[in-house]
Amino acid sequence: MDSSPGSTPYSAPSGCPMRGERQTSLYGPEFASDPQRVYDAFRAHGLAAPIELAPGVDATLIVQHEAALRVLQNPSFFARDARRWAALREGRVPLDSPVLPMMAYRPNCLFTDGTEHLRLRKAVTESLGRLNTTRLSRDVERIADYLIDQFIERGSADLLGDYAKLLPLLLFNQLFGCPGEIGDRLTRGMSAIFDGEDVLRANAELTECLMELVALKRRNPGDDITSWLIQHPAGLRDEELKDQLVMLMGAGIEPERNLIANALLLMLSNDAGAGQRRGTGMLVEDALDDVLWNNPPIANYATHYPVQDIDLGGVTLRADTPVLISFAAANSDPALTDARQTLSKGAHLAWGAGPHVCPAKSPAQLIALTAIEKVLNSVPDLALAVHPSGVEWRPGPFHRALVALPVVFTPAPARRTAAAPAAQSPVPSRSTAPDETPAAHYDHAEPQKKTKGWWSSFLDVFRV
């Protein structure tokens, strides 16, 4: 998911009217560098604004807190089924648009309404409800230990690419009960999709390995989310199972990595502004609350489609056109000043609201809390390698995500080594792809057919 300088899938073409004086685009480095300025400009013109999510993709963005709640909490007027999207149906949206993977219809509980949504959501929430928090914390700590060992001897790292990005990917392999080979492919496919690298091929590989996982768990169920979804009374078909797993990964991995990285940036920053809760010495819980208020990992999303033309506070929302919620802008609504200053947990919209509110709020916070505490305790003298104002933010309309989080620290010996008898190869750099981790041999006599990925290598260390 890292971005390189220059052109991105979201770059406006030269001469594009979106480069004019009044910015209406939610893509490109200008928006990424200072989104709050854009939200404030939108808010000055009303509770919603016409925007361009990507070249040729128009939508309306809700920027007022009360209006956001009215949309989120009224499914009878605002549907989530993307098959209503008139411009997409009529061929007016480029099929190679970078926003389609986040907006196109899938038969999962993000994009369904009514009884179908209730059926799918019940299966998801009740399966997530079976997670044991003690076991979840232990899984996060094991993965964190493994990742920290990959860079602790170097004295420098990118806490995004080396840690916050990989931890959720590996954790979902654990939660889904993936064997080594399937988990390696799952990690590779999801990473490529988030990075925008050969997305069609990556999506095909992701679909293939998830269907293999579903077939495996139907034959040999385990103590994992995949098996629990299969066993749920909702009776999900294989395709439905695959799409719920895709939804869980997409809605979990990207926000989780951003929550971890954004909170670490805050805690490692020393440029405290007047009256702001900034700088070192913060409790992790306070840093997470601050991020959820001021830099929510998913800044703009929750696409709705008005079922008819609707007047919302003087703004006409046309039927079957995308209406997105700006969680970031709603959180910075001047009407919430008092709640924001006290970091009240009940007022911000980082977890959404209404029937589609995030079903994994508690596990997500536990994962981030455990991951941050683990790296701060394991590497106690972490310091930013750049000034906090010099960090780069990834372009894109949906997330608030860093490009990198470079840090320096005193090198220390790794605490664990690979369980295999063969010597470990040098630790990969931040640019190493997830499936290019140093090879480690199995203990049995089978010949190794190819270089192992992150998940297989982790399994070799921990034997989980």
Side-chain angles (χ1 to χ4, degrees), residues 146-162:
Y146 172 72
L147 294 175
I148 291 167
D149 267 3
Q150 308 308 306
F151 61 75
I152 196 167
E153 295 179 333
R154 296 206 308 260
S156 65
D158 167 18
L159 284 187
L160 182 80
D162 294 334

Side-chain angles (χ1 to χ4, degrees), residues 75-76 81 108-109 111-123 232 234 236 240 355-356:
S76 57
D81 190 335
N108 61 40
C109 53
F111 295 101
T112 49
D113 303 296
T115 56
E116 185 66 2
H117 169 252
L118 290 175
R119 182 179 76 91
L120 297 174
R121 184 177 173 90
K122 185 176 176 67
H232 193 272
L236 302 184
E240 290 178 322
H356 288 270

Side-chain angles (χ1 to χ4, degrees), residues 78-407:
F78 297 97
R80 293 296 294 266
D81 190 335
R83 290 173 295 186
R84 291 178 170 271
W85 189 359
L88 183 60
R89 287 199 317 264
E90 296 163 7
R92 291 185 281 121
V93 174
L95 293 181
D96 62 349
S97 172
V99 300
L100 275 188
M102 291 283 284
M103 296 180 68
Y105 172 79
R106 288 181 185 267
N108 61 40
C109 53
L110 270 183
F111 295 101
T112 49
D113 303 296
T115 56
E116 185 66 2
H117 169 252
L118 290 175
R119 182 179 76 91
L120 297 174
R121 184 177 173 90
K122 185 176 176 67
V124 169
T125 55
E126 291 183 356
S127 296
L128 290 175
R130 296 179 63 174
L131 287 173
N132 179 285
T133 56
T134 301
R135 174 183 164 188
L136 182 61
S137 294
R138 184 178 68 246
D139 289 341
V140 174
E141 288 180 351
R142 284 174 168 172
I143 293 168
D145 280 335
Y146 172 72
L147 294 175
I148 291 167
D149 267 3
Q150 308 308 306
F151 61 75
I152 196 167
E153 295 179 333
R154 296 206 308 260
S156 65
D158 167 18
L159 284 187
L160 182 80
D162 294 334
Y163 190 70
K165 173 181 177 178
L166 288 168
L167 189 146
L169 281 165
L170 299 183
L171 179 63
F172 270 79
N173 282 337
Q174 178 73 49
L175 297 179
F176 287 178
C178 291
E181 195 269 341
I182 289 179
D184 286 345
R185 291 159 56 205
L186 198 63
T187 302
R188 181 171 61 242
M190 286 303 297
S191 182
I193 286 174
F194 287 143
D195 287 340
E197 299 170 355
D198 198 357
V199 174
L200 291 178
R201 182 203 57 79
N203 187 63
E205 180 175 37
L206 180 67
T207 298
E208 181 183 27
C209 68
L210 284 175
M211 293 300 283
E212 289 179 22
L213 178 64
V214 167
L216 173 66
K217 293 299 177 178
R218 283 202 186 276
R219 296 191 305 269
N220 301 301
D223 190 21
D224 52 68
I225 291 175
T226 310
S227 300
W228 299 336
L229 283 169
I230 289 171
Q231 297 159 0
H232 193 272
L236 302 184
R237 303 182 304 275
D238 284 2
E239 282 289 329
E240 290 178 322
L241 286 162
K242 179 260 296 180
D243 281 308
Q244 306 323 301
L245 293 174
V246 169
M247 182 272 299
L248 284 169
M249 295 187 75
I253 291 173
E254 170 80 8
E256 193 70 53
R257 64 166 263 180
N258 296 341
L259 180 58
I260 293 169
N262 294 358
L264 281 168
L265 171 63
L266 177 59
M267 297 189 73
L268 296 175
S269 298
N270 291 310
D271 57 339
Q276 294 182 327
R277 297 165 64 89
R278 293 289 191 271
T280 58
M282 293 182 73
L283 295 174
V284 178
E285 293 90 339
D286 289 341
L288 291 172
D289 287 339
D290 193 302
V291 167
L292 292 169
W293 267 104
N294 298 310
N295 267 320
I298 296 298
N300 309 292
Y301 197 45
T303 310
H304 291 73
Y305 300 88
V307 299
Q308 62 191 44
D309 288 359
I310 294 174
D311 181 278
L312 186 68
V315 176
T316 300
L317 304 177
R318 298 296 180 188
D320 297 336
T321 61
V323 175
L324 277 71
I325 305 298
S326 178
F327 304 117
N331 286 355
S332 62
D333 189 330
L336 297 183
T337 298
D338 291 343
R340 187 167 52 256
Q341 288 178 345
T342 59
L343 297 181
S344 170
K345 293 179 174 65
H348 71 70
L349 292 181
W351 304 109
H356 288 270
V357 67
C358 176
K361 172 182 173 181
S362 295
Q365 292 186 113
L366 176 62
I367 292 165
L369 178 69
T370 307
I372 294 169
E373 287 181 341
K374 190 69 176 178
V375 73
L376 292 178
N377 290 333
S378 300
V379 194
D381 62 344
L382 276 175
L384 288 176
V386 297
H387 191 274
S389 63
V391 297
E392 253 188 286
W393 297 91
R394 247 171 63 217
F398 304 119
H399 50 242
R400 183 61 172 159
L402 290 165
V403 171
L405 184 57
V407 294

Side-chain angles (χ1 to χ4, degrees), residues 442-463:
Y442 287 104
D443 285 339
H444 50 69
E446 287 183 12
Q448 186 173 346
K449 296 180 180 179
K450 60 181 179 180
T451 302
K452 286 191 177 182
W454 282 100
W455 182 239
S456 290
S457 298
F458 169 77
L459 292 178
D460 278 347
V461 174
F462 284 94
R463 301 294 182 202

